[in-house]
Amino acid sequence: MKSQSASKGFAILSISGIMCKILSLLSVPLINLIIHENGYGMYFSATTIYTAIYVSTNSGIQTAISRQVSQFIALENNRAALKTFKMARALLLLSSTIICVLVLVFIVPISKITAAEDSIPALIAIMPSLVITSVLVSYRGYFQGRNLVTPIAVSQIFEQIINVVFSVVLTYILYKYGVKAGAAGGSLGTTLSTLVATIYVIFIYRKHRFNRIEGPKVNVKTEALSNKYILKNLLQFSLPLTFILSIQYWGDIIDMSIVKNILGSLDLDSDTLFALLGKYKTLIGVPLIIIASLCSVVVPSLSRSIAIKDNKSIKSKMSFTFRVCFIISIPSAVGLFILSEPIYKVVFIGRTQGWDLLKLGAIVVVFMSVVQIQTIILQCLNKFKFVFISSMISILTRIICNYILVSIPTINIKGAIIGNILCYLIPMILNLLYLNKVLHVKISLFKYSLKPIISSLFMSVTIYALLLLNKIFLNNFITESLLSNLIFLVIAIILGISVYGYSLVLLRGITKNDLNYLSPKIPKMLPSFIRKNLK
């Protein structure tokens, strides 16, 4: 199995990520149909708690494994790279097992603090996957560090297929025992899916004999790296990173507790309204999958450039990453804003309650995307202290907004959306100022975003015209149904992407070199009228 370039890795992870998100979107309306908004609120509350615990245990060390493995391989020390993986795997398994047991022992007080008492069965069902994923992320981090993204992508797809099938089936089977049991069925599907993905990556690891030292011989100096040295380097990167990442997700827990308690004090159905917030977060997560894929290939690539102190390469990779970030996030946000109601009609099978939340909060896709990229760059530069400060400001902003805005009856759950927007906008500005200072260069977000914004305006005009045409047809010629809404949405997305892409080519927002960097096959696949204008 050969290493893959950063561009090919980005393409593979992006495609698999989109496929996984589409599969995930299939399960949401089906689970929602079975256990309704109230039950889905219980399921989403358990998922929110689990995600925060998972990130606090597993997420940082996966990136640390990837970074350290890639650096050792760049220095031709394959023995240290393999040793890093094995030590991290053992550390993850031990820590996640301890935390899993502690959570299960104290699950009642945890549920009371987070206003999620009804979610206890769902939380019990999903907690074993914490131990399973500790093994899974160690293998994924090792593969990522070696630029072997195909096993990661395949494992993600396997995981999501199993998750969708078993989550829906188990929700349906257990719902006859009550709403809480139905929500637990959805969580149990997640646990089974992580087990399948873990078995797959272990199989690939053993099949390709990654447990054996191969490649160039290392010199005596690098060969002598001790376990203590490797573990120290691993923890020096992973612990601050885990802490920083967990701040955001524990912010979600605080967010959930505050929002649900305030909604309850207003005599509103907190589980139902929180379910609407969950649907919103699920939809904005679709384009963010591509940004996450971009981040995952940036870490080892940027880490190698930093290891050999190639400043020109560092700046070039940063510039390309920001450009791709805006090319993806801006049209995604615009599309979610314009098509918010049709999207809800299709994804949630006619249930449009909450579509206004997506329209209100679509812009956060851009802010979250930029902050993700900025955070990854700062982490690679070992600027953890500033990332921590920025993250704390983000959390405090969201808490203050929720206390003030959610408490207003006429705003209620929309206050959480506004808080979400501000808690990413402020760190984005702070991170930008700090990066410009540290790197002694001017990173102009306006420069990178201008052409995607103009192209998105052309796309908007096209989609609005299509919406008007669709309204005329619905009023005079056809009856609205799930099929008619689906056909319209597919046409709108394809036409919108086509207009956006062509406008971007005409404005030189994307060049032939950019596409060749991702894959030389892409320009050949484009229509001739676009190829003629591609410079």
Side-chain angles (χ1 to χ4, degrees):
M1 186 173 288
K2 296 180 179 180
S3 296
Q4 292 150 320
S5 66
S7 57
K8 188 173 182 180
F10 170 54
I12 292 171
L13 288 178
S14 297
I15 293 169
S16 71
I18 292 169
M19 289 175 65
C20 289
K21 205 63 186 178
I22 291 172
L23 288 168
S24 175
L25 287 175
L26 291 175
S27 67
V28 172
L30 294 174
I31 292 174
N32 193 74
L33 277 175
I34 297 168
I35 56 178
H36 311 294
E37 267 78 12
N38 183 260
Y40 186 76
M42 298 175 192
Y43 168 75
F44 184 66
S45 296
T47 303
T48 302
I49 296 170
Y50 168 76
T51 302
I53 297 169
Y54 163 80
V55 169
S56 301
T57 310
N58 293 337
S59 61
I61 203 162
Q62 177 177 342
T63 307
I65 295 168
S66 166
R67 174 181 179 269
Q68 192 153 309
V69 167
S70 66
Q71 287 183 340
F72 280 136
I73 289 176
L75 298 171
E76 298 185 348
N77 193 344
N78 291 338
R79 185 178 298 277
L82 184 60
K83 190 183 290 187
T84 295
F85 158 67
K86 290 182 177 180
M87 292 178 67
R89 182 179 58 184
L91 183 65
L92 274 172
L93 186 58
L94 176 63
S95 61
S96 62
T97 302
I98 293 171
I99 291 172
C100 179
V101 171
L102 289 174
V103 171
L104 292 175
V105 170
F106 296 102
I107 196 164
V108 174
I110 290 171
S111 65
K112 287 181 179 179
I113 293 170
T114 55
E117 291 95 331
D118 292 338
S119 301
I120 289 177
L123 189 56
I124 292 172
I126 202 173
M127 279 310 299
S129 65
L130 183 70
V131 179
I132 301 169
T133 52
S134 68
V135 178
L136 177 60
V137 300
S138 62
Y139 282 93
R140 284 177 173 170
Y142 182 62
F143 289 145
Q144 184 180 329
R146 294 190 58 153
N147 287 331
L148 301 170
V149 298
T150 300
I152 301 174
V154 174
S155 70
Q156 288 173 343
I157 294 170
F158 277 165
E159 182 180 1
Q160 200 57 57
I161 291 172
I162 300 298
N163 192 13
V164 171
V165 174
F166 279 93
S167 293
V168 173
V169 171
L170 291 172
T171 299
Y172 179 77
I173 292 172
L174 295 178
Y175 180 58
K176 64 183 178 181
Y177 299 106
V179 178
K180 295 180 184 179
S187 295
L188 191 56
T190 301
T191 300
L192 293 173
S193 68
T194 55
L195 179 60
V196 172
T198 303
I199 292 171
Y200 170 76
V201 293
I202 292 173
F203 169 76
I204 293 296
Y205 174 80
R206 291 183 175 178
K207 178 184 176 181
H208 293 280
R209 306 171 82 176
F210 288 125
N211 58 328
R212 299 195 177 189
I213 304 298
E214 296 177 356
K217 289 187 70 174
V218 296
N219 58 48
V220 176
K221 184 178 179 180
T222 55
E223 184 75 23
L225 294 178
S226 66
N227 290 347
K228 183 179 178 180
Y229 174 85
I230 292 173
L231 183 61
K232 181 182 176 182
N233 279 336
L234 190 66
L235 293 178
Q236 279 181 340
F237 185 85
S238 65
L239 289 181
L241 177 57
T242 299
F243 186 65
I244 289 163
L245 289 171
S246 62
I247 286 173
Q248 287 292 341
Y249 285 92
W250 283 105
D252 287 341
I253 298 293
I254 297 170
D255 197 33
M256 179 178 75
S257 179
I258 292 171
V259 170
K260 291 183 76 172
N261 280 312
I262 292 174
L263 292 173
S265 69
L266 296 174
D267 293 326
L268 298 171
D269 189 338
S270 60
D271 278 326
T272 298
L273 288 173
F274 198 70
L276 298 181
L277 184 63
K279 291 179 180 179
Y280 157 77
K281 289 186 176 181
T282 298
L283 290 171
I284 65 169
V286 175
L288 291 173
I289 285 292
I290 304 177
I291 303 300
S293 302
L294 182 62
C295 289
S296 68
V297 297
V298 163
V299 171
S301 178
L302 196 57
S303 295
R304 280 192 293 273
S305 297
I306 292 171
I308 60 177
K309 298 180 180 180
D310 187 350
N311 292 328
K312 184 178 179 181
S313 175
I314 292 170
K315 291 177 183 178
S316 173
K317 287 172 182 175
M318 282 176 50
S319 175
F320 181 78
T321 303
F322 276 116
R323 284 180 55 227
V324 173
C325 170
F326 282 116
I327 287 172
I328 294 165
S329 64
I330 291 175
S332 298
V334 171
L336 290 172
F337 174 82
I338 299 173
L339 296 170
S340 52
E341 189 171 9
I343 288 171
Y344 267 69
K345 286 179 179 179
V346 171
V347 174
F348 302 113
I349 315 178
R351 297 188 179 190
T352 57
Q353 186 183 8
W355 70 270
D356 52 328
L357 300 184
L358 183 59
K359 184 175 283 289
L360 174 65
I363 188 63
V364 81
V365 170
V366 179
F367 302 152
M368 288 179 74
S369 299
V370 176
V371 169
Q372 276 190 53
I373 298 298
Q374 290 172 331
T375 302
I376 284 293
I377 293 171
L378 287 167
Q379 287 164 359
C380 288
L381 294 170
N382 291 321
K383 303 298 180 182
F384 292 105
K385 184 177 179 180
F386 182 82
V387 177
F388 168 74
I389 294 170
S390 178
S391 299
M392 289 303 298
I393 292 171
S394 171
I395 298 300
L396 290 173
T397 301
R398 184 159 57 174
I399 291 171
I400 293 168
C401 284
N402 285 341
Y403 263 119
I404 296 172
L405 298 176
V406 178
S407 302
I408 302 172
T410 53
I411 297 178
N412 59 75
I413 198 65
K414 291 181 181 177
I417 304 296
I418 297 170
N420 202 39
I421 294 171
L422 291 175
C423 86
Y424 283 102
L425 174 61
I426 293 172
M428 183 184 77
I429 296 170
L430 294 176
N431 291 343
L432 176 64
L433 295 173
Y434 188 73
L435 275 172
N436 284 340
K437 178 182 177 182
V438 169
L439 297 172
H440 305 292
V441 294
K442 187 176 181 181
I443 301 171
S444 174
L445 297 185
F446 177 75
K447 174 186 173 183
Y448 294 132
S449 64
L450 181 59
K451 290 177 181 178
I453 289 173
I454 296 172
S455 300
S456 294
L457 290 175
F458 288 116
M459 180 187 77
S460 302
V461 172
T462 305
I463 296 177
Y464 271 121
L466 195 61
L467 277 168
L468 180 61
L469 190 63
N470 183 59
K471 190 174 182 180
I472 294 171
F473 268 86
L474 288 177
N475 290 336
N476 298 284
F477 301 106
I478 60 174
T479 303
E480 185 175 8
S481 64
L482 179 61
L483 180 61
S484 65
N485 287 328
L486 177 61
I487 291 171
F488 164 74
L489 188 60
V490 171
I491 293 172
I493 291 172
I494 293 173
L495 188 61
I497 291 173
S498 301
V499 171
Y500 172 77
Y502 189 51
S503 302
L504 200 62
V505 167
L506 291 177
L507 291 169
R508 305 292 184 263
I510 192 166
T511 65
K512 191 173 182 179
N513 285 337
D514 293 333
L515 295 178
N516 283 331
Y517 179 76
L518 294 174
S519 173
K521 296 179 182 179
I522 294 178
K524 298 176 183 178
M525 296 166 62
L526 298 174
S528 58
F529 70 96
I530 294 180
R531 251 192 341 262
K532 289 178 182 176
N533 292 283
L534 193 62
K535 303 296 183 182

